[in-house]
């Protein structure tokens, strides 16, 4: 005989079902987030159609190959991808909590009796239970899980963009250091020539041995620079290998040592600051974290109210397997539970989750402001690098002419060695500074692409932002 659930319980359950607790999350507008309409620094960059694969605009096949390898083999990306899988499974589990749980069992046995014939027994049963989501706690939990899954996806995209940018920066560092090594080695050859000239003139009695010692000191000073540059260049190469998921030294053959910097790309139009809210994966991830924290307020508030659990079972038993359905038993039950006294624990949990949501909102705004700051800094850095390149180029041309004249005049005895030393130092400094400024210009381009949310392709995930708030 199947038990009947009291009608009052059914009516109460139906009445309160859908009475969801907690605030409904709605995406914030740019005015709510205090996002300015324009950037501080004016925009005069050349427009670009797409920044999804910004590294292709550097026209460097080696760089493109390294980034492609990193995006598929980098271990930080692999770790972040597992977090997406875990978030997806949590979403599946959250959805399952809203549905009934059904179990099945069967058994058979044989009774031995010395005074009667042996008897077999067979039984089967199906059990089911369902927690009625009267106050929307399970619904809010599912919303939080969905938002967390989306946040994990955006976090993965953010890791990919950061890895691509870090690899590009290290690649520029390698090429710049190789360029600076070539400059230092060329300067060292000139100083070897100067030392030989000083020796000849000293042997001829035209100058004192002071010129020879000064030439040796200058050569030693330049020679000491080379090992430091080689050390830094090796460290950057090893970092490139690790970023591509390989052991240090694995990409040395691909890199070579020519010191050619990538081409300077056309700079993109930044548009309105509000664009970064739609382009940067770290901002999108932070926004989804806020949505999850908001939904968890409802989960905590639902714990303040009664819970309704429905359970049922259906079983059969028989002494013969073929007649196992002859005897059927079953029951359907309902239980309501309510905490009477918990010393304020549940209400404290609600306040705690509200504070967590406030913290998530502050983190969201902070991420946006940092993004705007990064755009401004990258823009200023690019313009500063351009100005430095112009100045150092002029210095390099002038210093080269001065060094040639000083070398010719010293050989002819028209000037002293001190003037030649100063000309050589100026030339080395100008060429080295010019190489650094060119690398800085490339690095600022990378930073600008990254700050604007380049390096990934926004793909709609399962359940968009609006759907997640329902």
């Amino acid at each position: 005989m199947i038990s009947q659930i009291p009608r009052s319980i059914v009516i109460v359950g139906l009445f309160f079902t859908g009475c969801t607790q907690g605030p409904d999350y709605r995406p914030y507008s740019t005015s709510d987030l205090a996002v300015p309409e324009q950037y501080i620094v004016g925009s005069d960059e050349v427009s670009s159609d797409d920044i999804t694969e910004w590294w292709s605009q550097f026209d460097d096949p080696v760089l493109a190959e390294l980034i492609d390898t990193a995006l598929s083999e980098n271990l930080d990306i692999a770790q972040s991808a597992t977090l997406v899988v875990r978030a997806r499974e949590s979403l599946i589990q959250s959805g399952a909590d809203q549905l009934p749980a059904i179990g099945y069992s069967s058994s058979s046995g044989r009774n031995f009796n010395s005074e009667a014939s042996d008897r077999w027994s067979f039984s089967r049963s199906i059990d089911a239970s369902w927690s009625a989501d009267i106050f929307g706690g399970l619904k809010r939990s599912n919303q939080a899980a969905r938002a967390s899954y989306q946040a994990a996806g955006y976090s993965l995209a953010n890791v990919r963009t950061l890895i691509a940018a870090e690899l590009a920066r290290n690649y520029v560092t390698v090429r710049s250091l190789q360029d600076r090594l070539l400059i230092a080695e060329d300067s060292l050859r000139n100083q070897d020539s100067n030392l030989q000239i000083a020796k000849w003139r000293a042997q001829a009695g035209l100058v004192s041995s002071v010129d020879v010692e000064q030439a040796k000191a200058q050569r030693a000073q330049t020679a000491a620079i080379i090992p430091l540059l080689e050390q830094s260049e090796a460290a950057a190469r090893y970092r490139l290998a690790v970023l591509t998921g390989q052991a240090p030294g694995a990409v040395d053959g691909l890199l070579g040592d020519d010191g050619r910097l990538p081409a300077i790309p056309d700079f993109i139009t930044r548009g309105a600051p509000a664009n970064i809210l739609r382009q940067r994966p770290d901002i999108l991830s932070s926004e989804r974290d806020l949505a999850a924290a908001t939904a968890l307020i409802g989960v905590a508030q639902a714990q303040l109210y009664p819970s309704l659990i429905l359970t049922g079972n259906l079983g059969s038993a028989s002494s013969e397997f073929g007649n196992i359905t002859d005897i059927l038993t079953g029951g359907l039950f309902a239980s309501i539970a309510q905490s009477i006294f918990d010393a304020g624990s549940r209400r404290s949990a609600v306040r705690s989750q509200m504070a967590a949501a406030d913290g998530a909102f502050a983190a969201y705004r902070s991420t946006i402001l940092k993004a705007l700051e990064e755009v401004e800094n990258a823009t200023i850095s690019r313009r500063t690098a351009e100005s430095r390149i112009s100045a150092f180029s002029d210095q390099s041309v002038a210093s080269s002419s001065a060094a040639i004249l000083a070398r010719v005049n010293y050989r002819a005895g028209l000037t002293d060695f001190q003037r030649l030393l100063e000309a050589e130092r100026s030339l080395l400094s100008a060429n080295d500074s010019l190489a650094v400024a060119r690398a800085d210009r490339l690095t600022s381009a990378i930073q600008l692409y990254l700050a604007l949310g380049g390096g990934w392709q926004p793909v709609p995930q399962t359940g968009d932002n609006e759907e997640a708030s329902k």
Side-chain angles (χ1 to χ4, degrees):
M1 180 177 180
I2 300 176
S3 301
Q4 292 185 350
I5 301 175
R7 182 176 300 176
S8 60
I9 294 179
V10 175
I11 293 175
V12 170
L14 293 176
F15 177 77
F16 284 108
T17 298
C19 184
T20 306
Q21 297 298 306
D24 291 327
Y25 177 77
R26 292 291 182 268
Y28 289 87
S29 65
T30 55
S31 58
D32 294 332
L33 299 170
V35 176
E37 295 182 0
Q38 298 294 331
Y39 289 103
I40 296 174
V41 181
S43 176
D44 58 358
E45 291 83 5
V46 178
S47 177
S48 174
D49 294 333
D50 186 21
I51 59 174
T52 300
E53 295 184 356
W54 50 261
W55 50 87
S56 62
Q57 299 183 31
F58 286 80
D59 193 25
D60 191 315
V62 175
L63 173 61
E65 181 178 346
L66 288 171
I67 290 182
D68 288 343
T69 302
L71 293 180
S72 61
E73 304 296 335
N74 180 268
L75 297 181
D76 290 332
I77 294 176
Q79 292 179 58
S80 186
T82 63
L83 298 180
V84 177
V85 175
R86 293 178 60 185
R88 182 184 63 204
E89 297 306 321
S90 294
L91 175 60
I92 293 174
Q93 295 167 28
S94 175
D97 290 340
Q98 301 180 77
L99 301 176
I102 301 174
Y104 169 80
S105 64
S106 64
S107 64
S108 64
R110 185 176 181 180
N111 296 320
F112 296 93
N113 193 325
S114 60
E115 299 179 358
S117 59
D118 299 343
R119 295 184 60 187
W120 283 90
S121 63
F122 302 91
S123 65
R124 293 183 298 183
S125 66
I126 297 177
D127 303 301
S129 64
W130 178 59
S131 179
D133 193 21
I134 298 178
F135 297 100
L138 295 178
K139 177 183 177 181
R140 291 300 193 199
S141 179
N142 182 258
Q143 289 177 358
R146 183 178 298 279
S148 295
Y149 170 48
Q150 293 170 330
Y154 291 131
S155 293
L156 172 60
N158 188 50
V159 172
R160 289 172 61 87
T161 62
L162 293 174
I163 292 299
E166 184 181 356
L167 189 143
R169 285 194 297 266
N170 278 273
Y171 181 79
V172 170
T173 297
V174 168
R175 292 309 190 198
S176 176
L177 287 168
Q178 289 176 344
D179 188 23
R180 294 174 65 190
L181 273 168
L182 294 175
I183 292 171
E185 290 168 352
D186 183 62
S187 180
L188 190 62
R189 284 190 293 269
N190 289 334
Q191 290 167 14
D192 284 336
S193 177
N194 294 339
L195 175 58
Q196 188 61 49
I197 294 171
K199 287 180 178 180
W200 289 338
R201 290 178 61 80
Q203 290 172 358
L206 300 175
V207 296
S208 69
S209 59
V210 174
D211 286 10
V212 176
E213 296 306 318
Q214 286 181 327
K216 288 181 179 179
Q218 184 189 45
R219 186 195 181 283
Q221 184 180 24
T222 302
I225 296 174
I226 293 177
L228 293 176
L229 294 175
E230 290 175 338
Q231 176 185 346
S232 298
E233 190 264 347
R237 280 191 285 108
Y238 297 157
R239 183 60 185 155
L240 285 177
V242 173
L243 287 172
T244 57
Q246 305 176 76
V251 298
D252 289 0
L254 178 63
L255 290 171
D257 57 0
D258 57 16
R260 286 199 304 267
L261 288 170
I264 302 298
D266 291 336
F267 288 92
I268 60 175
T269 299
R270 298 179 301 172
N275 289 342
I276 65 171
L277 272 67
R278 296 182 292 270
Q279 291 175 304
R280 284 186 54 136
D282 58 337
I283 292 179
L284 295 173
S285 177
S286 183
E287 187 270 342
R288 291 289 83 202
D289 285 337
L290 173 58
T294 303
L296 289 175
I297 295 176
V299 175
Q301 288 183 340
Q303 299 299 315
L304 300 173
Y305 300 97
S307 61
L308 171 64
I309 300 177
L310 303 178
T311 59
N313 63 75
L314 179 65
S316 64
S318 175
S319 59
E320 297 182 7
F321 184 79
N323 299 327
I324 198 170
T325 59
D326 288 350
I327 302 176
L328 296 177
T329 61
L332 190 60
F333 309 93
S335 63
I336 294 179
Q338 169 67 54
S339 174
I340 298 177
F341 176 75
D342 63 0
S345 175
R346 286 176 171 80
R347 292 193 180 278
S348 176
V350 174
R351 294 193 297 270
S352 175
Q353 193 53 54
M354 287 180 174
D358 290 340
F361 178 69
Y364 179 36
R365 285 199 60 198
S366 176
T367 304
I368 293 172
L369 294 179
K370 287 172 62 178
L372 295 173
E373 178 187 20
E374 289 172 5
V375 173
E376 297 294 345
N377 286 338
T379 304
I380 290 293
S381 177
R382 178 184 67 82
R383 294 186 177 182
T384 301
E386 292 283 358
S387 299
R388 290 164 55 212
I389 288 173
S390 177
F392 287 135
S393 295
D394 294 340
Q395 182 186 0
S396 177
V397 172
S399 296
S400 178
S401 299
I404 293 173
L405 291 173
R407 195 174 299 119
V408 171
N409 289 339
Y410 180 70
R411 285 182 177 180
L414 300 177
T415 187
D416 58 15
F417 193 72
Q418 187 63 36
R419 185 159 298 182
L420 176 58
L421 286 178
E422 293 174 358
E424 291 287 354
R425 289 195 190 101
S426 178
L427 177 59
L428 175 59
S429 175
N431 288 338
D432 188 72
S433 298
L434 179 59
V436 172
R438 286 171 175 166
D440 289 345
R441 179 171 59 175
L442 283 167
T443 301
S444 68
I446 295 168
Q447 289 299 109
L448 184 57
Y449 281 122
L450 180 63
L452 292 172
W456 75 297
Q457 177 62 54
V459 178
Q461 295 184 330
T462 303
D464 55 22
N465 294 359
E466 291 74 15
E467 185 178 298
S469 66
K470 294 180 181 179

